Each structure stands twice: as structure tokens, then as C-alpha cells.
Amino acid sequence: SNEPLKILLAGRIVEQKGQFEAVKAINHLVQFGIKNIHLTIAGNIQDTEYANSIRDYITRNELHDYIQILDHVNNLRQLRKTCDIGLICSKKEAFGRVTIESMASRMLVIGANTGGTAEIIENNVNGLLYQQGDYISLANQIKYAINNKNKMNTIIENGYNTVINNYSISNVVDKITNIYINIEKEQHSS
């Protein structure tokens, strides 16, 4: 469509979350002619050297038409509904709550192949993985998504089903309850 591809990276703006990697990937895509694209970075931005280097890079590379930084978002759930892709660029995401929230919002999730993100995403099944630390790998996965829209629809649905089947509140409560029941059984049988 003529609408730009809308990408969201949500989370505190700190080096561990990898926002600079996403900014460089967008610049790479724009430099190679993919200009119908827009990245929103949503998260608390402090006046840090990291945040300032991101702002300077955006200005230096004239990326203001392609990237925006939202310091405060009142309704992240509503923002997700307007986006096509959710990026998880963290160096080591512990659990992957943002990954799950993005999948539950029926967004295509592209995540770094580390930590909890790699445990949730099965590449090319319920999301896409890229080599953490390599912005060209991330750019290539975004480009792959653009060029394979029909396949991405299946991956998005698989991601949504992953969340419903494995991470819904009722499912998680049942699993935790069963763990406690099994611990109690073991203690009584000892």
C-alpha cells in the first residue's frame, strides 16, 4: 500500500535495549531506496550520551521523516494497533514481555537472537530473528518482511497463537499452580 510500513521499538531508551541498532537499520534501508518506512521509538528518554548520540545520528543523516522518538506514551496498546512490526533489539532480554505484548497485538515481531527473545521467537515461524549487534542483519529481516507480506501474515498469526497458547494469564496460572502441587506432592512423599 501507499501507507508507510510502521515499526515500533518500545522500552526505556538505554544502550541495552538497542535503539541505536534500529536507527542504523532504518538509515541503511533508506540509503538503499526503501523510503516508505517509519520507525517510532517509544520510551523514557533521558539526557544521556546514548540518547544524544541517537538524536545526533538522526539529524546528521536527515532521518526525521523516517524516525520519531516519543518520550511519553499514554497508551502503548493503542500505539501498537497502528504499527505493523515490533522490534526487540535488546542485548539480553530477560523474559520477553515486550515480545509477547507485540505478538498479542498481532504485530510481526523481529527480535535479536539472544536471551528471552530467542526463547520465544522461532525464526520464520512466529517471528523473525536477526543477529544481535548487526544492524545490517536487522535491516535485511525488515526488507525480507516487506518482500514476503503473505508469509508474514502467517507468521503474525503464529505469533498471536503462541501467546494465547503459552502466555495467557489463565495458562500461566495453571502452570504455576501445577508446579506448586508437584512440589507439595514431593515433600509429602519424602
Side-chain angles (χ1 to χ4, degrees):
S1 76
N2 291 332
E3 288 292 313
L5 179 71
K6 295 178 183 171
I7 302 172
L8 174 65
L9 198 165
R12 285 180 311 117
I13 300 175
V14 294
E15 192 169 353
Q16 295 79 6
K17 295 291 185 183
Q19 290 93 352
F20 211 156
E21 208 162 272
V23 169
K24 288 179 179 179
I26 296 301
N27 185 52
H28 181 78
L29 292 168
V30 168
Q31 296 302 316
F32 282 92
I34 299 175
K35 298 185 182 239
N36 202 15
I37 193 167
H38 190 269
L39 169 65
T40 299
I41 299 173
N44 187 2
I45 188 165
Q46 304 294 320
D47 192 21
T48 64
E49 185 178 329
Y50 180 70
N52 290 333
S53 64
I54 291 173
R55 287 187 193 111
D56 291 345
Y57 187 91
I58 291 169
T59 300
R60 202 171 47 254
N61 290 283
E62 300 177 355
L63 296 170
H64 291 287
D65 290 340
Y66 307 101
I67 300 171
Q68 72 174 336
I69 299 173
L70 300 177
D71 185 32
H72 182 74
V73 177
N74 288 329
N75 192 339
L76 191 55
R77 182 179 291 162
Q78 191 62 37
L79 179 59
R80 279 190 175 100
K81 289 180 182 179
T82 68
C83 295
D84 306 299
I85 295 175
L87 298 182
I88 313 299
C89 299
S90 299
K91 291 181 181 180
K92 288 283 186 187
E93 192 68 36
F95 168 65
R97 181 180 54 83
V98 175
T99 305
I100 291 167
E101 289 171 353
S102 296
M103 287 176 163
S105 298
R106 285 195 162 100
M107 296 168 63
L108 173 66
V109 178
I110 302 176
N113 62 346
T114 62
T117 304
E119 292 176 12
I120 296 168
I121 296 176
E122 186 177 346
N123 191 43
N124 239 2
V125 175
N126 63 357
L128 299 176
L129 292 172
Y130 76 96
Q131 179 63 45
Q132 191 280 320
D134 183 352
Y135 73 89
I136 293 175
S137 175
L138 174 56
N140 287 339
Q141 288 294 52
I142 295 169
K143 187 174 179 182
Y144 176 74
I146 291 168
N147 292 332
N148 295 281
K149 289 179 184 176
N150 289 335
K151 182 172 185 153
M152 295 309 113
N153 289 331
T154 300
I155 290 173
I156 290 167
E157 283 307 304
N158 290 344
Y160 177 78
N161 290 328
T162 296
V163 171
I164 298 304
N165 295 329
N166 299 311
Y167 301 104
S168 66
I169 292 295
S170 61
N171 196 322
V172 171
V173 168
D174 289 345
K175 287 179 181 179
I176 292 172
T177 302
N178 286 334
I179 289 170
Y180 281 114
I181 289 169
N182 288 332
I183 290 170
E184 188 175 324
K185 285 179 184 177
E186 288 176 15
Q187 287 178 345
H188 287 291
S189 65
S190 308

